[in-house]
Amino acid sequence: MRVAICSWLPVATLAAGLLLPVDAAEAQSACPVASGQLMPGQLYLRSPDGRQWIDATGPEVKSVMATSDRVRAIYALAPDRGGVVAIKLRNEAPRTERDSADVQEVHIERPALNESCFAGRRGPMDRRVAAREYDDYHAAGLKASQLLHAFHFRYRSTEQPECHRTDDANIGGRRHYSFTQPAEAGEPTYRAAQITGDAIPPILVPFRDAIVAVTGLKPAQASTGAPGMRYVYLRTMLRRYQPVPQGTANCVAFSFDAAANVTTTYVTVADLDTGQQSTVPQRTWTLRWARPER
């Protein structure tokens, strides 16, 4: 398999080192890069031989999927910052005559947590939730969800030292979690699932339509987005990171893969701790899969 990227910028490759030592009381994982040669705000993919981290905006990324169906990735952060990032993955595939709707669920995942904002330790979460429930909880904010409430958590950050939750509606109105929102980069698509007007109470539909008219955003429906394409997999991950000594790499790690019919994977990263309450910056990388004939 091979992967192509939608934009072509100078590439940077980094030697991969051993896992750094970590204080379990302060962080859940360490950045798998020995030195601090990462550019904050950038995505890197593990090379096929496992010896380098390749800038995801460069031409060398085409070789990443040549020998593997699973990609290891890291998102780089400034060494003096601590907080949480939300990572969204969208796998897109051509629609066929047998496809009646987009994917009907969202995969939610985070590692175990050890935070001073709650007693004890929370185990990892790796679950699936109905797309309608996910959208109602995050985008519309109209319904409660025990599963999604447990997925999110309270924590402290360098920007906000007081305890606050990752699903705080005062920060960007939770819109950064929605798959129906356009991203700042990449190809904006609005489909998350077959979610129509009956996903919210009829009395609130006029208000939703008014917001659509003002903002230009569309409700999440399978009929919108790239013509002839559909989402076959949606995933949201939460990753905690802590400040590290200067000269040390700071990042969060994750992996992704794709079924044989997937042509594009979108990776969107939202930094929840920028000090801005009204908006949450997001960046999207668009990875094009070019698979050899089998």
Side-chain angles (χ1 to χ4, degrees):
M1 298 181 185
R2 298 181 183 276
V3 70
I5 204 81
C6 64
S7 60
W8 302 91
L9 298 175
V11 65
T13 58
L14 300 170
L18 298 177
L19 285 177
L20 300 174
V22 59
D23 182 352
E26 294 187 353
Q28 282 77 51
S29 62
C31 185
V33 178
S35 62
Q37 296 178 329
L38 300 175
M39 179 69 68
Q42 186 55 270
L43 182 71
Y44 297 88
L45 307 182
R46 192 71 174 264
S47 63
D49 61 10
R51 301 175 66 180
Q52 294 179 318
W53 290 98
I54 299 174
D55 188 333
T57 59
E60 289 187 23
V61 77
K62 291 187 296 182
S63 66
V64 169
M65 296 302 293
T67 59
S68 175
D69 293 337
R70 187 173 181 84
V71 178
R72 291 189 61 190
I74 57 176
Y75 177 75
L77 295 136
D80 60 344
R81 294 191 60 229
V84 171
V85 293
I87 304 166
K88 295 183 297 184
L89 298 180
R90 296 171 288 161
N91 283 350
E92 193 173 59
R95 188 179 300 278
T96 67
E97 295 180 357
R98 295 176 297 178
D99 300 324
S100 59
D102 284 4
V103 63
Q104 297 292 305
E105 62 183 11
V106 179
H107 182 188
I108 55 176
E109 180 263 313
R110 60 161 173 75
L113 300 170
N114 189 6
E115 277 288 336
S116 62
C117 290
F118 51 81
R121 179 179 174 86
R122 288 192 182 183
M125 178 172 286
D126 192 343
R127 300 281 298 276
R128 294 175 187 269
V129 60
R132 176 172 296 181
E133 181 179 350
Y134 180 96
D135 197 58
D136 283 349
Y137 184 86
H138 289 110
L142 298 173
K143 293 184 180 180
S145 167
Q146 292 184 347
L147 177 59
L148 288 166
H149 187 269
F151 171 61
H152 292 281
F153 56 92
R154 289 168 59 84
Y155 71 103
R156 303 178 192 272
S157 67
T158 52
E159 296 288 344
Q160 299 183 62
E162 72 282 357
C163 291
H164 56 289
R165 286 184 57 85
T166 56
D167 58 351
D168 188 348
N170 293 322
I171 304 176
R174 296 178 177 172
R175 290 187 299 272
H176 43 282
Y177 287 109
S178 176
F179 288 96
T180 67
Q181 301 292 322
E184 292 181 353
E187 299 178 6
T189 51
Y190 301 94
R191 285 173 294 110
Q194 184 69 28
I195 304 174
T196 57
D198 60 359
I200 62 175
I203 192 174
L204 295 177
V205 171
F207 296 97
R208 182 208 61 189
D209 293 342
I211 294 174
V212 169
V214 172
T215 64
L217 298 177
K218 303 177 182 179
Q221 298 182 8
S223 61
T224 62
M229 306 296 290
R230 71 186 188 102
Y231 290 148
V232 295
Y233 179 71
L234 301 172
R235 181 181 179 188
T236 295
M237 297 170 280
L238 294 177
R239 291 293 186 269
R240 184 79 167 95
Y241 64 96
Q242 297 284 358
V244 297
Q246 288 294 329
T248 302
N250 197 9
C251 70
V252 294
F254 60 98
S255 299
F256 63 90
D257 53 18
N261 63 330
V262 171
T263 60
T264 307
T265 294
Y266 302 94
V267 180
T268 299
V269 179
D271 191 337
L272 306 187
D273 296 278
T274 60
Q276 301 177 6
Q277 296 293 310
S278 59
T279 60
V280 175
Q282 298 187 71
R283 184 177 180 186
T284 296
W285 289 262
T286 303
L287 305 177
R288 303 291 188 188
W289 299 76
R291 305 170 189 271
E293 296 293 334
R294 298 182 177 180

